[in-house]
């Protein structure tokens, strides 16, 4: 049996005020590390690239610009006015075949079933006002996978790039 509850006007008013209070207070959400840093803006610099895959610089930069600020509750800003700066270096990009089937006959080529894209970067997030490193990782490694028969390398690369963004978010949030 379902019962209908009626809220008194006082309870409705209190509930409405509780829901509107954050919006009316002008409160701006920002990244607040456990050590007391209050950040509202972030600049993301293009990463240096030590690989032969020159397109990675732009792909990583665009994905970080698109995903990182909202994941951290920050706004994008120019390097000269930002509260924090993200910079890094792409150290390695490699492909390997961890899953394959040996050839049926001696001398037959093995059949590759799955490939992996491995991306290694060094990343640093700096609090500009305090000139303090909030988080860094000299060898953040991510791996994306794709099926050789039905998918392209770009599928594995995108997975590795998305895991890179998540790794940066997780690293920063571990300092909260």
């Amino acid at each position: 049996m379902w019962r209908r509850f009626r809220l008194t006007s006082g309870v409705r008013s209190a509930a409405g005020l509780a829901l509107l209070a954050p919006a009316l207070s002008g409160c701006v959400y920002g990244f607040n590390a456990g050590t007391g840093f209050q950040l509202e803006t972030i600049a993301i610099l293009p990463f240096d690239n030590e690989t032969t895959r020159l397109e990675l610089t732009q792909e990583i930069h665009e994905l970080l610009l698109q995903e990182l600020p909202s994941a951290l509750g920050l706004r994008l800003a120019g390097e000269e006015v930002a509260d924090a700066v993200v910079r890094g270096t792409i150290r390695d990009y490699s492909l390997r075949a961890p899953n394959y089937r040996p050839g049926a006959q001696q001398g037959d080529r093995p059949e590759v079933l799955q490939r992996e894209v491995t991306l290694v970067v060094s990343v640093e997030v700096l609090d500009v006002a305090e000139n303090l490193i909030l988080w860094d990782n000299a060898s953040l490694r991510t791996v994306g996978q794709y099926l050789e028969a039905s998918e392209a390398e770009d599928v594995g690369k995108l997975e590795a790039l998305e895991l890179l963004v998540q790794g940066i978010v997780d690293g920063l949030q571990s300092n909260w």
Side-chain angles (χ1 to χ4, degrees):
M1 173 186 279
W2 296 96
R3 288 188 177 179
R4 257 190 142 144
F5 292 99
R6 295 185 126 204
L7 297 176
T8 66
S9 63
V11 172
R12 277 193 303 243
S13 297
L17 274 174
L19 292 173
L20 287 175
L24 295 174
S25 70
C27 177
V28 177
Y29 175 77
F31 175 79
N32 188 0
T35 54
F37 302 106
Q38 180 62 38
L39 306 176
E40 293 180 8
T41 59
I42 192 165
I44 302 168
L45 305 181
F47 282 22
D48 294 331
N49 191 344
E50 297 178 350
T51 74
T52 59
R53 304 294 296 260
L54 301 179
E55 77 280 0
L56 286 174
T57 300
Q58 182 175 353
E59 291 172 347
I60 289 173
H61 190 240
E62 287 177 2
L63 190 61
L64 287 173
L65 287 172
Q66 200 172 41
E67 302 291 330
L68 196 59
S70 62
L72 296 172
L74 301 173
R75 294 184 325 271
L76 276 175
E79 180 181 7
E80 59 284 342
V81 296
D83 298 326
V85 173
V86 178
R87 60 183 170 211
T89 302
I90 306 163
R91 301 274 181 215
D92 185 46
Y93 179 92
S94 60
L95 292 172
R96 66 182 209 105
N99 194 356
Y100 62 92
R101 187 175 311 152
Q105 302 279 331
Q106 181 72 16
D108 285 352
R109 294 178 57 163
E111 177 188 3
V112 175
L113 303 173
Q114 182 181 27
R115 289 200 186 265
E116 288 182 346
V117 172
T118 301
L119 179 64
V120 180
V121 299
S122 64
V123 183
E124 178 180 83
V125 181
L126 178 72
D127 179 322
V128 177
E130 300 293 326
N131 195 27
L132 182 69
I133 296 173
L134 295 174
W135 179 78
D136 69 335
N137 188 327
S139 59
L140 179 55
R141 180 179 185 269
T142 62
V143 177
Q145 300 176 341
Y146 66 100
L147 299 174
E148 176 75 8
S150 61
E151 298 174 321
E153 179 183 336
D154 285 344
V155 171
K157 180 169 49 170
L158 180 59
E159 181 181 356
L161 293 173
E162 289 173 345
L163 289 170
L164 169 66
V165 173
Q166 190 60 52
I168 295 170
V169 169
D170 291 347
L172 276 167
Q173 289 179 344
S174 71
N175 287 341
W176 286 9

